[in-house]
Amino acid sequence: MLDADFFRRWMTATAASVNREAERLTALDSPIGDADHGANLQRGFTAVRAALEKEETQTPGAVLTLAGRQLISTVGGASGPLYGTLLRRAGKALGDAAEVGEEQLAEALRAGVDGVMTLGGAKPGDKTMVDALLPAVDALGDGFAAARTAAEEGAVATTPMLARKGRASYLGERSIGHQDPGATSSALLVAALAETAEADGE
Ligand code: ADP
Ligand code: MG
């Protein structure tokens, strides 16, 4: 079972990974965006980490809800409200449970990804974070490592896609041949989840 501390460690691991990969995320956002994705997420996850240190979070749901709220209020770009919705919706779906199972987590993240698709209007294949998140949620039934692989493959698979949502869509055909920054950061989020579970011996 996964408790609030597990979820705090997941968010902290994501913050560390975003810090390590910020330059790469920004470089990916340069040819098909405005070169701010790394900085956006660094600002967002730094705020998440600070909030988790300051405010008490007793349940997994409370951790994700607080994290989502921070992302919405601190990230200026499109990715803030989208990641914020992912985590807030997932947090809400987990309710007040003190501990949750892997199946509950998978269901909650599916609700979160549904929220992302409703808010942003992106479908699979539109070259967005959805292309990493949805395969990860689909694979979570086979375990955390499977979800991580699915997210990484999903991110790589955005390269030949034509962008239909977000800034990259303004480029039309010229968006083809570049990996989507948001799908790449989504793979980091899922990889941090898998790392946290591995460290736990899950
Ligand atoms: P901005 O585009 O405002 O500069 P970021 O650079 O932080 O925001 O994030 C860009 C990423 O957000 C894209 O790579 C894409 O994955 C994701 N994104 C943008 N618009 C949408 C959308 N409508 N639906 C899903 N994801 C989106
Ligand atoms: Mg950007």
Side-chain angles (χ1 to χ4, degrees):
M1 294 291 273
L2 313 168
D3 61 8
D5 191 52
F6 176 92
F7 283 80
R8 282 191 293 267
R9 280 183 282 125
W10 174 22
M11 291 298 107
T12 306
T14 304
S17 172
V18 161
N19 278 336
R20 278 197 303 272
E21 300 288 330
E23 276 180 36
R24 180 166 157 250
L25 295 175
T26 287
L28 290 171
D29 195 33
S30 166
I32 57 168
D34 55 354
D36 64 355
H37 191 55
N40 282 344
L41 290 192
Q42 255 186 320
R43 186 166 59 250
F45 278 95
T46 299
V48 167
R49 197 154 50 180
L52 287 173
E53 277 170 21
K54 211 172 105 204
E55 286 183 43
E56 250 185 68
T57 42
Q58 308 272 12
T59 62
V63 173
L64 294 188
T65 306
L66 178 61
R69 218 186 310 135
Q70 294 304 313
L71 293 176
I72 291 171
S73 61
T74 60
V75 178
S79 62
L82 291 163
Y83 275 126
T85 295
L86 172 74
L87 298 182
R88 267 184 16 166
R89 285 289 282 273
K92 203 173 155 200
L94 293 177
D96 292 331
E99 293 188 323
V100 301
E102 280 180 40
E103 216 168 287
Q104 262 175 295
L105 173 58
E107 276 170 31
L109 288 176
R110 188 174 295 282
V113 178
D114 282 346
V116 170
M117 291 196 284
T118 303
L119 177 65
K123 296 185 300 293
D126 286 349
K127 197 182 182 97
T128 70
M129 59 174 71
V130 170
D131 293 308
L133 292 173
L134 201 55
V137 167
D138 286 340
L140 205 47
D142 297 324
F144 291 112
R148 173 192 195 147
T149 304
E152 282 163 2
E153 288 174 358
V156 169
T158 62
T159 303
M161 291 176 186
L162 175 81
R164 293 200 169 81
K165 291 287 166 195
R167 275 177 201 281
S169 67
Y170 308 158
L171 294 175
E173 302 268 322
R174 281 182 294 135
S175 65
I176 293 172
H178 303 280
Q179 186 169 316
D180 181 61
T184 308
S185 57
S186 288
L188 297 181
L189 178 74
V190 178
L193 174 63
E195 263 172 45
T196 306
E198 275 161 28
D200 242 28
E202 285 284 337

